[in-house]
């Protein structure tokens, strides 16, 4: 969990070096032929309109409030305009200074001191200061409906010391406060949000940002961002604008990409080699790093998925290899039994002994044996009958347009039908599925979880404080897992600061997960990244994993780094 310094790579670093040399060099060096050549090379990196394809999305809504349920950023598209204090690289686990330059703990780890970057301005020209950070943290900690990170449970008070230092007094020692406060909280302007009566319902149609891009225009079918001339990271961004057209499903987006109508894309493309790469092997590329987990979300508050034995039987009945190959064309590996992705960031914390004792195997006969032992039986027609005498019927909810998940769910449904369960796939709108998950009005659903450092992912997924009764909206923990031992361990983890102690707590949590399957892991969830080097270069890759297309904040920083060839 340690902080790692970040060094820019490639031509961006060359430009920074050039700027430093000319600032310190002689007048002759600054005006000579070599300097002119360098300036010409640097200027050639700028300009161009970047087309970003992501699906399914839209119709777009002109609301950039990072906490509003109607913010289109929640669907994972690039609409994030607010920056955090630090940027967390989901794939590598690196922490990269952004609005802040450093942090430290004091007072027995009960005080978090954050040092802010000098010279940052909001896009309307007003200075960014410690008052903006203190305001944002206080607003979240005192507004339960938008306190997605549980700041109220960890923050006692927030103070400022001059314009560039924020002092957060914690209720107890918390080794993860740096992440929740620094990495996972977009900072908003006090002079804008301070005038808002209800930050949860505020429609932020004209965002004032510190980020690399500002909103130029938005319609229900196209969003355009333009370069922020006041951006604090001088020289960035290189692109003049970003345009994001509406695509309602993966297939129409893939057709547009195949025609070369994209610079970056983050959607599933079937048979990518023939569909896309072979059309322009010189410029079309992809990188799919694992950063999260694709799971079969089970409603643990509703019978029969409330039964551990039933969830175990479902897990044994699923052929994950077929899900991976038929649904995802082999791009996403089969998950492990603790539901944590195989990215660099999580490897330190995955207990290999737990994996060895709890393999995720495909064994329909074992599934039937577990069901039989739990009091289930089969009628003459082969239907599974529960101990109450009712035929078992399940629906799997998947957002319409998510073609790979629909295919995944189809494989799962056929697997469950093979053991006598009447399983059907339903494809309502993404908004409908999100509402069903939040309110608990579902049986099974395809979902994405654990995209964060190991503990953070588990805490979001399993903490009983984040769930709610069926019919009431849950912040997360949509499966409604509320286990006292799990809650105790989740409370204990932030109070320990050594990696050895943290791994011990995580091992216990992983054992509980593997033994009870609060949700059923299916696949390692990858960050879909397809990119075109015809117009822009500098994209993240396996050789240069400075970021991944893990979410809206990641997109923002990637688009600030790419440039013309």
């Amino acid at each position: 969990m340690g902080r790692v310094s970040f060094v820019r790579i490639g031509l961006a670093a060359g430009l920074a070096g050039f700027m430093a040399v000319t600032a310190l060099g002689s007048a002759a060096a600054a005006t000579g032929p070599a300097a002119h050549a360098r300036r010409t090379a640097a200027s050639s990196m700028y300009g161009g309109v970047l087309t970003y394809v992501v699906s399914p999305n839209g119709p777009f809504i002109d609301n950039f409030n990072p906490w509003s349920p109607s913010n289109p950023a929640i669907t994972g598209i690039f609409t994030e305009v607010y920056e955090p204090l630090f940027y967390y690289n989901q794939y590598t686990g690196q922490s990269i200074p952004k609005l802040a330059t450093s942090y430290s703990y004091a007072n027995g780890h009960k005080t978090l001191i954050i040092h802010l970057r000098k010279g940052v301005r909001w896009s309307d020209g007003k200075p960014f200061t410690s008052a903006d950070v203190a305001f944002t943290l206080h607003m979240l900690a005192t507004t339960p409906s938008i306190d997605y990170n549980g700041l109220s449970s960890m923050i006692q008070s927030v103070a400022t010391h001059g314009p560039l230092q924020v002092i957060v007094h914690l209720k107890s020692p918390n080794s993860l406060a740096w992440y929740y406060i620094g990495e996972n909280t977009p900072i908003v302007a006090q002079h804008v949000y301070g005038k808002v009566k209800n930050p949860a319902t505020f429609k932020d149609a004209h965002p004032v940002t510190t980020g690399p891009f500002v909103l130029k225009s938005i319609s229900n079918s196209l969003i355009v961002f333009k370069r922020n001339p006041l951006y604090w990271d001088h020289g960035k961004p290189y692109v003049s604008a970003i345009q994001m057209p509406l695509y309602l499903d993966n297939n129409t987006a893939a057709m547009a990409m195949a025609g070369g109508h994209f610079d970056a894309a983050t959607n599933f493309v079937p048979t990518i080699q023939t569909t896309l790469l072979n059309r322009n092997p010189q410029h079309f590329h992809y990188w799919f790093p694992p950063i999260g987990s694709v799971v079969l979300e089970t409603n643990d508050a509703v019978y029969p998925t409330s039964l551990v034995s039933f969830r175990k039987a479902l897990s044994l009945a699923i052929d994950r290899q077929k899900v991976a190959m038929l649904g995802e064309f082999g791009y996403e590996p089969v998950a492990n039994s603790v539901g944590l992705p195989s990215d660099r960031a999580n490897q330190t914390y995955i207990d290999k002994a737990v994996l060895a004792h709890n393999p995720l195997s495909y064994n329909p006969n074992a599934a039937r044996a577990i069901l039989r032992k739990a009091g289930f039986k089969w009628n003459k027609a082969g239907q599974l009958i529960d101990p109450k005498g009712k035929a078992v019927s399940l629906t799997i909810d998947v957002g319409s347009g998510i073609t790979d998940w629909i295919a995944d769910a189809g494989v799962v449904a056929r697997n469950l039908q093979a053991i006598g369960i009447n399983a059907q796939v339903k494809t309502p709108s993404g908004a409908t599925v999100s509402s069903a998950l939040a309110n608990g009005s579902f049986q099974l659903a395809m979902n994405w979880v654990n995209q964060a450092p190991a503990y953070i992912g588990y805490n979001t997924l399993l903490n009983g404080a984040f769930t709610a009764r069926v019919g009431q909206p849950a912040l997360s923990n949509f499966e409604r897992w509320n286990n006292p031992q799990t809650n105790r361990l989740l409370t204990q983890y932030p109070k320990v600061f050594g990696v050895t102690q943290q791994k011990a707590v995580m091992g216990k949590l992983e054992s509980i997960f593997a033994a009870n399957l609060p949700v059923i892991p299916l696949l390692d969830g990858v960050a879909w990244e397809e990119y075109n080097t015809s117009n822009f270069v500098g994209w993240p890759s396996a050789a240069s994993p400075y970021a991944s297309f893990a979410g809206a904040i990641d997109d923002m920083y990637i688009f600030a780094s790419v440039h013309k060839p």
Side-chain angles (χ1 to χ4, degrees), residues 312-332:
K312 285 186 173 181
L314 295 187
S315 179
L316 284 164
I318 297 171
D319 188 343
R320 291 173 177 80
Q321 289 290 348
K322 278 192 176 179
V323 174
M325 295 308 299
L326 298 181
E328 303 294 341
F329 289 78
Y331 306 140
E332 292 189 319

Side-chain angles (χ1 to χ4, degrees), residues 384-507:
L384 181 67
I385 308 299
D386 69 21
K388 298 179 181 181
K390 294 184 178 181
V392 178
S393 179
L394 297 173
T395 58
I396 307 173
D397 292 340
V398 192
S400 60
I402 311 177
T403 54
D404 56 327
W405 277 11
I406 293 172
D408 295 346
V411 175
V412 172
R414 290 191 292 275
N415 289 158
L416 300 185
Q417 290 163 1
I419 62 168
I421 296 173
N422 178 20
Q424 302 295 327
V425 178
K426 291 188 176 181
T427 58
S429 69
T432 300
V433 175
S434 295
S435 177
L437 287 169
N439 291 295
S441 55
F442 73 99
Q443 292 178 301
L444 302 173
M446 296 292 296
N447 200 14
W448 175 283
V449 300
N450 288 343
Q451 182 181 315
Y455 167 82
I456 305 291
Y458 262 17
N459 191 47
T460 302
L461 178 69
L462 303 174
N463 196 324
F466 297 147
T467 195
R469 294 178 180 272
V470 171
Q472 299 295 317
L475 291 174
S476 61
N477 190 346
F478 302 132
E479 69 278 8
R480 280 145 171 86
W481 175 257
N482 199 350
N483 174 270
Q485 186 181 4
T486 301
N487 292 337
R488 281 195 298 271
L489 290 167
L490 291 171
T491 301
Q492 178 186 351
Y493 185 98
K495 298 177 182 178
V496 297
F497 283 77
V499 173
T500 300
Q501 295 92 327
Q502 290 174 338
K503 288 175 66 175
V505 177
M506 277 302 301

Side-chain angles (χ1 to χ4, degrees), residues 85-86 98-104 112-122 126-134 137 158-168 187 210 232:
L85 301 174
F86 302 92
K98 291 297 180 182
L99 292 178
T101 57
S102 65
Y103 71 86
S104 60
L112 181 66
I113 303 169
I114 303 167
H115 299 275
L116 303 181
R117 187 178 299 278
K118 290 182 180 180
V120 178
R121 285 190 290 168
W122 293 99
K126 289 183 169 57
F128 163 81
T129 72
S130 55
D132 295 301
V133 179
L137 298 180
V158 184
T160 61
H161 183 72
L164 298 176
Q165 191 175 98
V166 180
I167 302 170
V168 184
I187 306 300
T210 59
W232 55 265

